[in-house]
Amino acid sequence: MVPKPVKALFKSKPKTPADIARQTRDLLIYLDSCGNDDRAPKRDEKMAELGKLMREMKSILYGTGEAEPNPEACSQLMQEFFKANTLRLLVTNLPKLDLEARKDAAQVVANMQRQQVQSRLIACDYLESNLDLVDILVSGYENPDIALHYGSMLRDCIRHQSIAKYVLENHLKKFFDYTQLPNFDLSSDAAATFKELLTRHKSTVAEFLSKNYDWFFEEFNKKLLESTNYITRRQAVKLLGDILLDRSNTVVMMRYVSSKDNLRILMNLLRESSKSIQIEAFHVFKLFAANQHKPHDIASVLVANQSKLLRFLGNFKLDKEDEQFEADKAQVIREIAALNQEIISNSRSNSSTASPA
């Protein structure tokens, strides 16, 4: 029998997914204890090891080029990771990691939001019991160095309806400012999160908008639709259309299209030099025109601007042929052209039912 080489006798056993989670937690605890001291003993060595562990966790959760992820390995990793406060340590110490480790950490957190262990989304359970971590992710937009990584994590966390509801109810107002940050990458990322909050979970959004209609649309109109920033206006009018055209928000839509102030804003957006804004504004404006129960002041504004609107719509064309757009435009033209007769009919109807003096 050939004896084994000495190295083979002392070869370490492969790390299990649970080992990787434990070692990650230990290194994060070390990093947490160092504070901001870059001169801590063996700090660079430990940071390199932490980066390696992040890559190993990512490989377990996503698989590699040669192999698909192993469900049992993912389950072991998840259970050990969430047994203690590893997610808390990772989130709070993310600013101390190097750029590549931050990217890997964001991908690890993203995948964990979708992983089920014994039919439960344990990442969601953990977040529901540690909502201050969600607060930290939201406030990340105030730190340019970490904003994009926290923003990415936040969007994955609000895949959970309960977490999205928490952010809507406690933090949404901040996004009216975050979406207008001077840094384009940050404002775009905040806008992506803002859109996700207002479109992903239909029933939660409908309930939120119904309860918070007044302040929400006052802010939306003033800070976004009437912003001096072209990109802000374009993104806002597109999002407004997505919200109002969703069937879950029918009650909110009917209230929005009954406001003369809202109509004025949309008519101004139709006059923009940007074709992109005009098209998105048209998709909202058509709701005002198609409303079969227009308040009198809405109808009066449309009649007062009837000739201008009909002339504009007659010349309004897309660069590419679009049958649905043309059908919508024809319907809007018919509705506006018929308004004079409609108002006269309503006036006669009101006169005939009025009490004699």
Side-chain angles (χ1 to χ4, degrees), residues 4-5 25 29 41-42 64 76 101 105 110 117 126 151 153 162 173 192-193 207 217-218 227 238 242 264 281 288:
K4 290 183 178 180
R25 181 163 58 248
I29 289 171
K42 296 186 177 180
T64 61
Q76 289 177 24
V117 177
Y126 183 85
M153 286 184 175
S162 57
K173 278 189 178 181
T193 305
E207 180 184 358
F217 282 107
E218 182 180 348
S227 167
K238 172 71 167 67
D242 291 342
R264 174 187 58 79
F288 288 87

Side-chain angles (χ1 to χ4, degrees), residues 76-308:
Q76 289 177 24
L77 178 67
M78 290 286 291
Q79 289 184 77
E80 185 61 38
F81 191 90
F82 285 100
K83 186 188 294 183
N85 283 326
T86 313
L87 181 60
R88 173 177 294 280
L89 287 163
L90 183 57
V91 169
T92 55
N93 287 287
L94 198 73
K96 300 175 186 176
L97 304 185
D98 63 39
L99 182 60
E100 288 306 312
R102 289 179 191 177
K103 290 178 181 177
D104 289 336
Q107 288 183 282
V108 165
V109 171
N111 188 290
M112 286 180 167
Q113 305 313 311
R114 300 187 284 273
Q115 291 281 347
Q116 292 194 14
V117 177
Q118 297 175 351
S119 301
R120 289 195 64 82
L121 290 166
I122 61 174
C124 179
D125 294 341
Y126 183 85
L127 287 169
E128 287 176 350
S129 300
N130 295 270
L131 288 169
D132 63 306
L133 286 183
V134 181
D135 301 337
I136 292 171
L137 294 179
V138 172
S139 65
Y141 282 113
E142 295 163 26
N143 179 352
D145 293 335
I146 203 72
L148 297 180
H149 304 293
Y150 274 173
S152 172
M153 286 184 175
L154 179 61
R155 279 191 297 283
D156 286 300
C157 291
I158 61 177
R159 293 171 65 92
H160 309 303
Q161 193 158 0
S162 57
I163 305 305
K165 183 177 182 181
Y166 174 79
V167 177
L168 280 169
E169 293 177 347
N170 294 275
H171 293 294
L172 192 72
K173 278 189 178 181
K174 296 173 185 173
F175 281 87
F176 288 104
D177 295 321
Y178 292 159
T179 56
Q180 297 182 83
L181 288 166
N183 182 302
F184 176 76
D185 290 337
L186 268 58
S187 62
S188 296
D189 194 272
T193 305
F194 189 58
K195 179 180 179 180
E196 188 77 357
L197 283 166
L198 291 165
T199 55
R200 175 176 277 275
H201 302 286
K202 310 295 187 186
S203 59
T204 297
V205 171
E207 180 184 358
F208 172 82
L209 292 177
S210 293
K211 288 181 179 176
N212 298 275
Y213 179 93
D214 290 331
W215 75 259
F216 175 84
F217 282 107
E218 182 180 348
E219 293 279 291
F220 197 98
N221 289 350
K222 182 173 64 176
K223 291 190 174 180
L224 304 185
L225 291 180
E226 296 185 304
S227 167
T228 56
N229 185 291
Y230 159 74
I231 293 174
T232 299
R233 294 196 306 279
R234 189 184 69 188
Q235 290 176 333
V237 70
K238 172 71 167 67
L239 177 56
L240 180 64
D242 291 342
I243 292 169
L244 298 183
L245 288 163
D246 193 301
R247 290 184 179 181
S248 302
N249 297 322
T250 300
V251 173
V252 170
M253 181 271 286
M254 291 301 295
R255 187 171 175 186
Y256 191 88
V257 301
S258 296
S259 162
K260 186 170 71 172
D261 288 338
N262 294 342
L263 176 58
R264 174 187 58 79
I265 291 170
L266 266 298
M267 288 173 66
N268 284 336
L269 289 169
L270 281 175
R271 297 169 57 194
E272 287 261 0
S273 58
S274 162
K275 196 66 172 282
S276 297
I277 290 181
Q278 285 183 326
I279 292 167
E280 298 301 341
F282 171 77
H283 288 308
V284 178
F285 175 77
K286 69 186 180 186
L287 299 174
F288 288 87
N291 182 9
Q292 298 304 303
H293 303 285
K294 298 179 188 68
H296 186 269
D297 57 350
I298 295 289
S300 296
V301 170
L302 293 174
V303 167
N305 293 274
Q306 189 178 51
S307 59
K308 291 179 183 177

